[in-house]
Amino acid sequence: MKKQYDIIVVGAGPAGSMAARYAAEKGVSVLMLEKDRDVGYPVRCGEAISKAGVEEFIPIDEKWIAATISRFGFVAPNGNEVFINFGDAGFVLERRLFDYALAQSAAEAGVEILTRAYVYGLIIEDDIVKGVKYEYRGEQHEVYAKVVIAADGVESRVGRWAGLKTHIDFRDMEAAVQVTAANIPIDQNTLYFYFGKDVAPNGYFWVFPKGNNKANIGLGVSGITGKKRSALSYLNDFMEKHYPNAPILTSIAGGVPCSITLDKISAPGIMLVGDAARQVNPLSGGGIASGMIGGSIAGTIAGDAIKNNNLTHILTYDKAWGDRLGKRHEIFNRIKNGIYNFSDEKFNLIAQSFLKVPEEKRGLGNLFVTALMNQPSLLVDVAKVFLVK
Amino acid sequence: MELRQAKTGKLMIEILPNKCDFCGCCVGVCPEDAIELKEAEIFIIDERCTNCSKCIWSCPIEVIVLNKNGLIKK
Ligand SMILES: Cc1cc2nc3c(=O)[nH]c(=O)nc-3n(C[C@H](O)[C@H](O)[C@H](O)COP(=O)(O)OP(=O)(O)OC[C@H]3O[C@@H](n4cnc5c(N)ncnc54)[C@H](O)[C@@H]3O)c2cc1C
Ligand code: SF4
Ligand code: SF4
């Protein structure tokens, strides 16, 4: 361990590992600090990801693939099921091993990694972030860096210490619970999404296969719902109704920040990536791939900034992220607000109309069209998704 | 007996002992950065808390509560 690194990354999730790796590939020194004792554990995630989302960053390895996804199933409030086939769309991961593999790829690029290292503050001099303070096995340490990359997940405290406004509106925080259960007899290549105000108000309830009839089963609820009823009580109702005797292998809580990206994700000496920057796709709640993308952009820019001895270059990160995904997320967020406010009757109607489309002709595109026929005002927002490049 | 007090003079937010899953939802929504969360340890930083209750609404498993008596024993 040195006293000074070019870059320090706080948090070893997918966003942190990719930020660290892409920076190290530029030939600069990188230290990644993680508070938990294991990278990748505990897993607070439904673990679904698109094939393209993985392939951009790491060659597919069966070791961390729990299920291969080729179909989506939507279950309307009245129980009607609509299926859409996709070919080889994506995976349900074994994230414990996946996150580990990502961190290992960072290590191979030269990143130093320390677990059980809890970052509790920043070193700030002349209003510029100069390093971090962390606790390791009961002792406090300080380490300097030219750039700190905050990849500290949903809590996003590191950015606050640098003066950025990172806390999220309680209405946009999807407070989630999930169980991984055995003996769930669903199709092992289909992601199931349930809709309806009794099942998952203002969002969806997921049942994702994990191979051998195991499944990740869970939901998130906004703080508005949370005022009245917790995610846990919805999950208990669902399990009682559908799988009362299923053995529960794990159960976890977690938070998904479903909003647009923060106004500012860089400042002198600091950059924010992944959940900490609020880079989750607000429509789907997926944040693994978008976090890796955010991380890779930040890592590349930080590496270049250091190599060219031009630290203000890191401030170009906000725009680079906006152009790649940030602007798109703004539109997804508006669509989210439209769709998740549909009444149960409207969901039932959409499913009913869509069931008339022959299965081989179904796609997410015409599902959207069907949804839009029921809510034409959303058309403008959807049109914009295709205009933003 | 030691008592804890919030910024407001009263501390009404209580995280039920041994029930937290350390998921971070409450930390993410707290406008005052008043919650400290380590690997498996959580507590409210009394001097910062304003009793706004946002953390309660965002806890997925109902382990944060309002303590109506206003003061919590340490
Ligand atoms: C229930 C649930 C289901 C989800 N399902 C999906 C899904 O199916 N598909 C999908 O794409 N996304 C899903 N998500 C979202 C996805 O899990 C996150 O977006 C993703 O993990 C974000 O990656 P990250 O690297 O930004 O943060 P994380 O993976 O959360 O990593 C942050 C890391 O920082 C560490 N850390 C935090 N503070 C400190 C500190 N002070 N010092 C040191 N280390 C620190 C943490 O321990 C953690 O390891 C789900 C989320 C939840 C909660
Ligand atoms: S009541 Fe408000 S200020 Fe206090 S800990 Fe909860 S969210 Fe933070
Ligand atoms: S939201 Fe609830 S379970 Fe999650 S860390 Fe806070 S108190 Fe613990």
Side-chain angles (χ1 to χ4, degrees), chain A residues 44 155 175-176 253-255, chain B residues 14-16 19-29 35 37 42 55-56 58-64:
Chain A
R44 304 185 189 278
E155 293 131 79
Chain B
E14 188 178 3
I15 300 175
L16 300 174
K19 299 231 161 135
C20 172
D21 197 46
F22 313 109
C23 74
C25 287
C26 55
V27 182
V29 298
I35 307 175
L37 172 60
I42 188 164
C55 54
I56 301 182
S58 294
C59 178
I61 54 173
E62 305 169 44
V63 306
I64 316 185

Side-chain angles (χ1 to χ4, degrees), chain A residues 4 7 25 27 82 103 112 132 138 156 162 238 327:
Chain A
Q4 158 97 46
I7 294 173
E25 282 169 354
V82 178
E112 284 182 45
V132 305
S156 192
F238 186 93
K327 287 181 200 151

Side-chain angles (χ1 to χ4, degrees), chain A residues 221-231, chain B residues 56-59:
Chain A
V221 304
S222 136
I224 300 210
T225 302
K227 277 185 183 181
K228 290 166 265 160
R229 236 188 112 179
S230 69
Chain B
I56 301 182
W57 306 329
S58 294
C59 178

Side-chain angles (χ1 to χ4, degrees), chain A residues 357-368:
Chain A
V357 180
E359 190 150 346
E360 66 279 7
K361 290 200 176 142
R362 287 179 201 162
L364 262 195
N366 50 17
L367 174 64
F368 252 125

